[in-house]
Amino acid sequence: MTALAGGAAGGTASAGAGAPGTAGAAGQAPDARTAAFDAAVAAEERIEPRDWMPDAYRATLVRQMAQHAHSEIIGMQPEANWITRAPSLRRKAILMAKVQDEAGHGLYLYSAAETLGTGRDELLDKLHAGRQKYSSIFNYPTLTWADVGAIGWLVDGAAITNQVPLCRCSYGPYARAMVRICKEESFHQRQGFELLMALSKGTPEQHAMAQDAVDRWWWPSLMMFGPPDDESAHSAQSMAWKIKRFSNDELRRRFVDICVPQAEALGLTLPDPDLRWNPDKGENGGHEHGPIDWAEFQAVLKGNGPCNEQRIAQRRAAHEEGAWVRDAAAAYAAKHAAGEHGKAEAA
Amino acid sequence: MALGDDALVLSHRLGQWAGHAPVLEEEVALANIALDLLGQARVLLSLAGDEDELAFLREERAFRNVQLVEQPNGDFAHTIARQLYFSAYQLPLYRELAAGDGPFAPLAAKAAQEVDYHLDHARQWTLRLGDGTQESHARMQRACDALWRYTGELFRPVEGLGVDPSALEQGWLRSVGEVLERATLTLPDGPRSGGWAAGAGREGLHTESFGRMLAEMQHLHRSHPGASW
């Protein structure tokens, strides 16, 4: 992230009038650049890769986008765990397509992160070394087929609640990636819901399997929105920069309000005895939920969740065992390029 | 059903790569090919009966796929060699079927377009691995050699198919030979049929790893008899 940092913004006018980083910005005093940046953000203009931006804004975005990309890649594992055991060919095809989409989302997001002057290889190295994180949810194991449905319904549901506002994020490449990703994610979420519905309305064993999965995935899904607002280190600044649009707790509340009627439609219960409707909450009422086990959340974040080691080990192994393949492709490309060059000279 | 089993089993093997591929682009590509094959399998098996009953409730001896597609993934070179051999067979076969007026013609026309892409993918990687580094060259040669014995079976007659696969054999040898040569690899010279070659998958005689593959694939479906998913 150093190559472009520090204000060596290009001279092309990539954003609308008044955007920072256009022709004059590089020559402006730091205060003026910051003021122009702040004004563009306030005016809901998109910041584009060649625009000037504060170093901390760049660093925050790299951190968040890398973490997001890593989550897509690590997130393939718990679901891929069931590809070979899917109970019908239709479900197997849906699951394969979903895991393929996740790899695609990872690719978009790494590309978007690369516009900030970092490289995919560098980001992957940081993931493998444990220096960048991925969503804590993927450190939970998929123990039954119903977990695939619970991930679709709850985990993708929580991801969408988080990500839809990112479609209006102030950084253009991120916002555009999110538009594409959210479309596919909502499709996955509906498929997960439908999978759970089939189980819930199926045999007693299938129903029990669905309920057990929801019981295990509910609280980790609520943790996906991050720590409570008063303990969230990055929130205030991200909101000021319009990277984030709503607070963690606000998004979590919305998610709970969406899930409660959906659980009823599924004929499944949510594992929270304190969950209740409060007509006086907010403008139109809202749900109150029981306390979240933040100690568990912290433990998982610190690497002590059920699957942290396994997830990273598999990712690292795939990378290391694939090194000879990447080397071969690079060697072939180099030879081939030399050949093309030779031909061009001969001609 | 034989062709449906080929597609089903190879799709399953490719599905095992998810989360393990050497680059992200290959996660996408291998899953894509697996999905195409699964789609083909579903249409073909549905022509023969209920796709899920056929996939999940038959035992090993009732599967009619060639032994080539059930071979374990091995390293990336093994997977690519398997893809090369199989898609170089599947493409002309589907083209023949598409040109005829049999029950498979409409499916074969669509599937041939998919397999054209699969073959291109396998060829591109064969070139890169064969003509890449010393290590990749050695691995690719090893993979081509190891799977060679399973290729004779591809050209055995298939009951009710309407196309004679043995007519495709010379073309297959030419097209595979050409790719291997461009990839600086040697065409293997071991047996492809006869006593020391493998292959009787079409008669339901499979290799040992296949039973374990089916055990994993079928266990959940079999654990809940009559359930719908």
Side-chain angles (χ1 to χ4, degrees), chain A residues 118-173:
Chain A
T118 180
R120 194 212 295 184
D121 293 344
E122 184 188 336
L123 297 177
L124 281 173
D125 286 345
K126 285 184 178 158
L127 168 66
H128 299 154
R131 285 165 53 215
Q132 282 178 341
K133 292 188 192 314
Y134 54 88
S135 178
S136 61
I137 194 85
F138 300 119
N139 292 311
Y140 291 86
T142 46
L143 302 178
T144 72
W145 170 250
D147 290 32
V148 171
I151 288 182
W153 175 43
L154 294 174
V155 175
D156 293 341
I160 294 164
T161 309
N162 260 328
Q163 290 172 8
V164 164
L166 284 173
C167 297
R168 292 188 291 127
C169 159
S170 58
Y171 188 58

Side-chain angles (χ1 to χ4, degrees), chain A residues 16-90:
Chain A
T22 50
Q28 287 171 359
D31 298 357
R33 288 189 310 199
T34 306
F37 173 86
D38 290 345
V41 168
E44 298 282 329
E45 281 165 18
R46 291 270 193 263
I47 308 301
E48 295 297 337
R50 305 192 67 161
D51 295 337
W52 183 86
M53 62 189 82
D55 289 351
Y57 176 83
R58 187 184 299 276
T60 296
L61 276 170
V62 167
R63 181 180 54 78
Q64 184 173 335
M65 288 161 77
Q67 183 169 328
H68 197 158
H70 298 333
S71 300
E72 296 282 356
I73 300 309
I74 297 284
M76 294 167 70
Q77 289 183 30
E79 292 178 292
N81 183 36
W82 280 91
I83 284 180
T84 54
R85 292 176 288 171
S88 74
L89 296 187
R90 174 171 165 264

Side-chain angles (χ1 to χ4, degrees), chain A residues 15-282:
Chain A
T22 50
Q28 287 171 359
D31 298 357
R33 288 189 310 199
T34 306
F37 173 86
D38 290 345
V41 168
E44 298 282 329
E45 281 165 18
R46 291 270 193 263
I47 308 301
E48 295 297 337
R50 305 192 67 161
D51 295 337
W52 183 86
M53 62 189 82
D55 289 351
Y57 176 83
R58 187 184 299 276
T60 296
L61 276 170
V62 167
R63 181 180 54 78
Q64 184 173 335
M65 288 161 77
Q67 183 169 328
H68 197 158
H70 298 333
S71 300
E72 296 282 356
I73 300 309
I74 297 284
M76 294 167 70
Q77 289 183 30
E79 292 178 292
N81 183 36
W82 280 91
I83 284 180
T84 54
R85 292 176 288 171
S88 74
L89 296 187
R90 174 171 165 264
R91 292 292 177 197
K92 186 171 180 161
I94 291 172
L95 183 56
M96 271 187 189
K98 182 179 180 192
V99 173
Q100 183 192 14
D101 280 348
E102 281 159 5
H105 295 171
L107 284 171
Y108 298 160
L109 286 162
Y110 285 121
S111 302
E114 284 181 338
T115 64
L116 291 165
T118 180
R120 194 212 295 184
D121 293 344
E122 184 188 336
L123 297 177
L124 281 173
D125 286 345
K126 285 184 178 158
L127 168 66
H128 299 154
R131 285 165 53 215
Q132 282 178 341
K133 292 188 192 314
Y134 54 88
S135 178
S136 61
I137 194 85
F138 300 119
N139 292 311
Y140 291 86
T142 46
L143 302 178
T144 72
W145 170 250
D147 290 32
V148 171
I151 288 182
W153 175 43
L154 294 174
V155 175
D156 293 341
I160 294 164
T161 309
N162 260 328
Q163 290 172 8
V164 164
L166 284 173
C167 297
R168 292 188 291 127
C169 159
S170 58
Y171 188 58
Y174 195 19
R176 289 187 289 273
M178 291 322 303
V179 171
R180 293 182 66 173
I181 290 173
C182 282
K183 278 185 199 158
E184 293 179 348
E185 292 288 3
S186 20
F187 187 59
H188 298 159
Q189 199 251 354
R190 281 201 298 277
Q191 287 171 330
F193 183 85
E194 196 251 333
L195 191 163
L196 282 182
M197 185 68 95
L199 294 180
S200 179
K201 308 260 185 248
T203 65
E205 291 78 14
Q206 286 176 308
H207 182 90
M209 193 193 280
Q211 183 62 60
D212 169 62
V214 169
D215 290 347
R216 282 180 290 111
W217 288 93
W218 172 249
W219 291 108
S221 301
L222 292 192
M223 295 177 195
M224 285 175 70
F225 296 93
D229 292 346
D230 49 11
E231 288 166 35
S232 178
H234 305 291
S235 274
Q237 183 60 72
S238 287
M239 299 218 0
W241 277 331
K242 298 194 177 171
I243 296 173
K244 232 175 133 84
R245 295 285 174 156
F246 304 98
S247 78
N248 294 352
D249 287 333
E250 165 62 19
L251 290 170
R252 189 163 19 237
R253 273 195 293 273
R254 283 189 194 184
F255 178 66
V256 174
D257 286 343
I258 292 168
C259 285
V260 169
Q262 290 182 346
E264 273 171 37
L266 283 170
L268 298 171
T269 58
L270 296 171
D272 179 358
D274 298 328
L275 187 65
R276 62 178 185 90
W277 176 256
N278 177 357
D280 301 326
K281 188 168 175 175

Side-chain angles (χ1 to χ4, degrees), chain A residues 73 76-77 80-94 96-97 99-100 103-104 106-107 110 120 124 145 194-195 198-199 202-203 205-206 209 314-315 318-319 321-329 331-333 335, chain B residues 8 11-12 14-16 18-25 27-29 31-32 34-35 38 41-42 45 51-52 55-56 75-77 124-125 127-129 131-133 135-136 139-140 182 216-221 224-225 227-229:
Chain A
I73 300 309
M76 294 167 70
Q77 289 183 30
N81 183 36
W82 280 91
I83 284 180
T84 54
R85 292 176 288 171
S88 74
L89 296 187
R90 174 171 165 264
R91 292 292 177 197
K92 186 171 180 161
I94 291 172
M96 271 187 189
V99 173
Q100 183 192 14
L107 284 171
Y110 285 121
R120 194 212 295 184
L124 281 173
W145 170 250
E194 196 251 333
L195 191 163
L199 294 180
T203 65
E205 291 78 14
Q206 286 176 308
M209 193 193 280
Q314 181 181 323
R315 185 82 259 304
H319 191 73
E321 285 159 20
W324 68 272
V325 177
R326 297 190 299 275
D327 291 347
Y332 179 85
K335 283 184 213 177
Chain B
L8 177 69
S11 164
H12 187 92
L14 291 175
Q16 293 172 333
H20 298 274
V23 277
L24 286 177
E25 285 80 355
E27 295 283 3
V28 178
N32 206 332
L35 262 175
L38 184 54
R42 294 182 65 193
L45 293 180
E51 61 176 39
D52 286 336
F56 295 102
D75 66 5
F76 190 67
Q124 296 293 337
W125 271 114
L127 294 177
R128 276 156 186 76
L129 298 182
D131 192 16
T133 63
E135 183 186 5
S136 70
R139 283 184 188 246
M140 192 65 207
R182 273 182 62 204
E216 182 174 345
M217 183 172 108
Q218 297 180 337
H219 99 270
L220 179 59
H221 186 97
H224 297 264
S228 40
W229 302 92

